[in-house]
Amino acid sequence: MRRPTLLTLTLPGCWGALILSCLSFTPSLLPRGGIVQGLVWGIGAVIGYGLGTLAAWIWRAFADRDPRRPRHRAWLVLGVVAGLLLAVSFALGQYWQSEIRELVGVTDHDVVLVVASPFVAAITFVLLLLLGRGLRGLYRWWASLFRRWIGRRAADAVGWIVAVGLAYLVVSGLLLGGFVDAANATFSLRNGTTSEGTDRPASSVRSGGPDSLVPWDSLGQQGRDFTGLGPTISDIQGWTAGPALEPVRTYAGLDSAPDAETRASLAVRDLERAGGFQRRNLVVVTTTGSGWVDPALVDSVEYLSGGDSATVALQYSYLPSWMSYLVDQSKAREAGRALFDAVYGRWSTLPPDRRPRLFVAGESLGSFGAETAFSGEYDMANRTSGIVFAGPPNFNSLFREFTDHREPGSPEVAPVYRDGRVVRFTNDPEVAIPPEGAWPRSRVLYMMNPSDPIVWWSPRLALHRPDWIREPPGDDVLPGMIWIPFVTFWQVTADLPFAVDPPGGHGHHYTSAYVDGWYTVMQPADVTPDELAELRARIG
């Protein structure tokens, strides 16, 4: 039989591609635009094509026969069925997407991009199919070469190993490494800029200001935003209608010192210089990848404390959060541990009656880095006055430990761990946080939106159905979302870059939730419900 060309398609493969193409329109956590749907569609089609081809190969192996050329009628049936199923699936997909947009409060919808999605899917399918066939061609070349010296079966096995190994080395070493190097070079240039509206602080209680040990130019773009912005004394007084202090903020950027430990030491020395250890509340924040600290996280603390607070953070990467999420996890771990250890080391030398209340916070990859400073719930409770983590990635070790060992009957989207004695979870801190009962003053709170893909994404989604899909969904997740092998993984993966696009309270966007989260953990006195409502509006 004539060997197929690069563009030849098999009938079983096309049936597999059709099935997974239709399934790619099923809903995921966030609304998908036309381009993203096209990518998910194309990737699903390639996976389906491969599975269909594999199933046919296995069937022929058991039947002990060679492949047969399909009849013209078989292709005609495929075309008619494909047209009908894709039309129905496409229509259902648009209906589901409109439902998701309503759930998460997204109003943007580009019809032109929706129309473009089939073309994006076709291009994606062809490119990935050619890539796969190129890998197969490489295997055949190596196998034919090895057959000169070893047996056919051994040559085939070695050929696959060599072809896959070389492909892995090229992708992980050359392509991924080159991509990361290029991204680092690009974002390092951005790191040297200053955002419009951000000015060097005139106050000595800010890093980069007068008498600071950390030069303004070394803070990086995110560090300059952190120390150059934030509520003023008059802002805080306007909310509390009482006396206020100017909050302390210290920070060390990548250019401030050569390594994480030295940067942490520098940030803590600047914290001590600025009087941070004399404030009533001290917050250690592990940043996201580029050094970003959510303004809502810090502003909420400063308002609720009447400005009697100090916050310290440091930068560990140039890359934005989603890139750091993939390639800079070790740097986040090192930075989180180094900063907390440096702060705790100085804090523990103070007389007990003169120590500030010590809090820890982190969002997204920052929560991952901050977690690494602790061994478990009692370590968190014993060494801090409270912790607030928002949008923890699914691979966070303590988050996974607490969630996997939750009380029987409590869902993964709202787990209860050991009767909530230290650690509790919420998707709405404005309401009572379960379970009922006493909660010690040292509280650890995880805030996680049901529609946040950062929280729920995992490589295991490809082959394992998670509990959060099996159980009743959260308030902003479509009940029609189901788990489909391979497809769900790519759908949630496609949600990741757009996790912060929905309004607050949905996706990876927490904002005003920090007000109630910090209110629950800090337990400030004399804050009325009306004042909390006003503060939510300010922060939001």
Side-chain angles (χ1 to χ4, degrees):
M1 178 177 289
R2 183 173 58 87
R3 178 172 292 184
T5 65
L6 283 177
L7 296 178
T8 300
L9 298 177
T10 66
L11 186 64
C14 288
W15 278 109
L18 173 61
I19 293 172
L20 261 69
S21 291
C22 294
L23 292 175
S24 72
F25 291 99
T26 56
S28 59
L29 295 172
L30 296 176
R32 296 192 293 269
I35 300 299
V36 177
Q37 177 59 58
L39 291 172
V40 173
W41 182 356
I43 293 171
V46 167
I47 295 173
Y49 186 88
L51 293 175
T53 303
L54 177 64
W57 179 82
I58 294 173
W59 171 257
R60 289 196 302 269
F62 278 100
D64 194 24
R65 67 175 179 80
D66 294 327
R68 298 173 183 173
R69 188 186 185 96
R71 297 178 180 178
H72 177 72
R73 180 179 298 178
W75 287 107
L76 182 61
V77 170
L78 172 66
V80 172
V81 173
L84 292 173
L85 288 182
L86 287 175
V88 172
S89 299
F90 191 89
L92 285 174
Q94 297 312 303
Y95 169 75
W96 286 322
Q97 292 305 308
S98 68
E99 292 281 287
I100 299 173
R101 286 196 297 272
E102 184 176 350
L103 278 177
V104 301
V106 172
T107 58
D108 294 340
H109 181 54
D110 194 327
V111 178
V112 174
L113 295 182
V114 173
V115 174
S117 63
F119 302 97
V120 175
I123 294 171
T124 303
F125 176 82
V126 170
L127 290 178
L128 292 178
L129 186 65
L130 291 177
L131 183 64
R133 289 183 171 177
L135 181 62
R136 185 182 63 183
L138 184 63
Y139 142 71
R140 286 174 172 167
W141 185 83
W142 281 107
S144 64
L145 182 65
F146 289 131
R147 284 172 192 157
R148 300 177 184 177
W149 302 288
I150 58 179
R152 182 180 61 82
R153 292 181 179 178
D156 290 347
V158 175
W160 266 121
I161 294 173
V162 172
V164 173
L166 286 176
Y168 174 79
L169 290 176
V170 169
V171 172
S172 64
L174 183 61
L175 297 182
L176 182 60
F179 172 75
V180 172
D181 289 343
N184 260 314
T186 300
F187 287 104
S188 66
L189 295 177
R190 182 178 178 181
N191 188 65
T193 64
T194 301
S195 302
E196 185 177 354
T198 300
D199 298 315
R200 181 178 181 180
S203 170
S204 62
V205 299
R206 301 291 182 100
S207 289
D211 303 322
S212 173
L213 303 178
V214 186
W216 170 254
D217 292 340
S218 74
L219 292 174
Q221 183 187 40
Q222 301 296 348
R224 285 189 284 274
D225 286 346
F226 174 72
T227 63
L229 302 174
T232 63
I233 293 179
S234 60
D235 292 332
I236 298 173
Q237 287 176 332
W239 175 74
T240 63
L245 297 174
E246 183 177 4
V248 174
R249 293 189 180 191
T250 63
Y251 190 98
L254 276 173
D255 297 331
S256 301
D259 56 70
E261 186 174 342
T262 310
R263 284 194 296 275
S265 176
L266 176 62
V268 171
R269 285 190 286 117
D270 205 38
L271 177 70
E272 185 170 16
R273 175 206 59 79
F277 288 101
Q278 281 72 56
R279 298 301 175 97
R280 174 166 169 72
N281 304 282
L282 173 56
V283 184
V284 181
V285 178
T286 302
T287 68
T288 61
S290 61
W292 181 72
V293 178
D294 191 334
L297 184 159
V298 187
D299 293 357
S300 298
V301 172
E302 294 173 345
Y303 276 106
L304 290 170
S305 65
D308 194 3
S309 66
T311 307
V312 58
L314 60 82
Q315 182 186 21
Y316 55 83
S317 175
Y318 293 126
L319 301 178
S321 188
W322 69 272
M323 287 189 188
S324 297
Y325 182 76
L326 298 174
V327 300
D328 271 352
Q329 292 180 23
S330 61
K331 293 182 180 179
R333 183 186 298 111
E334 181 185 20
R337 185 182 297 117
L339 182 59
F340 181 80
D341 287 349
V343 173
Y344 187 80
R346 181 66 186 92
W347 176 89
S348 61
T349 63
L350 299 173
D353 59 344
R354 292 176 53 193
R355 293 172 181 169
R357 295 196 299 169
L358 183 58
F359 297 97
V360 171
E363 179 176 337
S364 190
L365 196 60
S367 71
F368 167 77
E371 266 195 5
T372 60
F374 305 97
S375 59
E377 60 164 344
Y378 280 133
D379 191 26
M380 290 174 157
N382 291 336
R383 294 204 290 160
T384 73
S385 297
I387 295 176
V388 173
F389 288 145
N394 199 263
F395 54 73
N396 279 22
S397 56
L398 292 182
F399 172 68
R400 281 263 48 94
E401 177 184 333
F402 301 149
T403 303
D404 292 342
H405 296 89
R406 63 189 183 275
E407 300 289 343
S410 67
E412 188 173 10
V413 294
V416 175
Y417 179 72
R418 296 188 176 179
D419 296 323
R421 61 189 182 186
V422 174
V423 179
R424 295 193 183 184
F425 302 82
T426 183
N427 56 28
D428 185 3
E430 189 176 341
V431 301
I433 299 173
E436 296 180 359
W439 193 5
R441 293 192 62 85
S442 186
R443 301 176 174 185
V444 177
L445 179 63
Y446 283 88
M447 302 191 301
M448 48 191 202
N449 295 326
S451 58
D452 186 352
I454 300 293
V455 176
W456 310 117
W457 181 89
S458 168
R460 288 176 55 83
L461 276 174
L463 295 173
H464 296 86
R465 182 175 65 165
D467 291 342
W468 60 269
I469 292 183
R470 183 184 299 113
E471 299 162 346
D475 294 339
D476 59 351
V477 175
L478 203 65
M481 182 177 180
I482 59 175
W483 177 78
I484 304 168
F486 300 108
V487 174
T488 301
F489 169 77
W490 287 111
Q491 288 177 329
V492 178
T493 300
D495 289 336
L496 291 175
F498 309 98
V500 297
D501 290 350
H506 305 287
H508 195 61
H509 198 172
Y510 292 86
T511 326
S512 58
Y514 278 115
V515 173
D516 295 285
W518 278 116
Y519 176 77
T520 299
V521 171
M522 295 175 67
Q523 304 173 77
D526 304 325
V527 177
T528 67
D530 289 342
E531 288 174 330
L532 277 179
E534 181 186 344
L535 185 55
R536 287 187 208 107
R538 283 181 179 239
I539 298 298

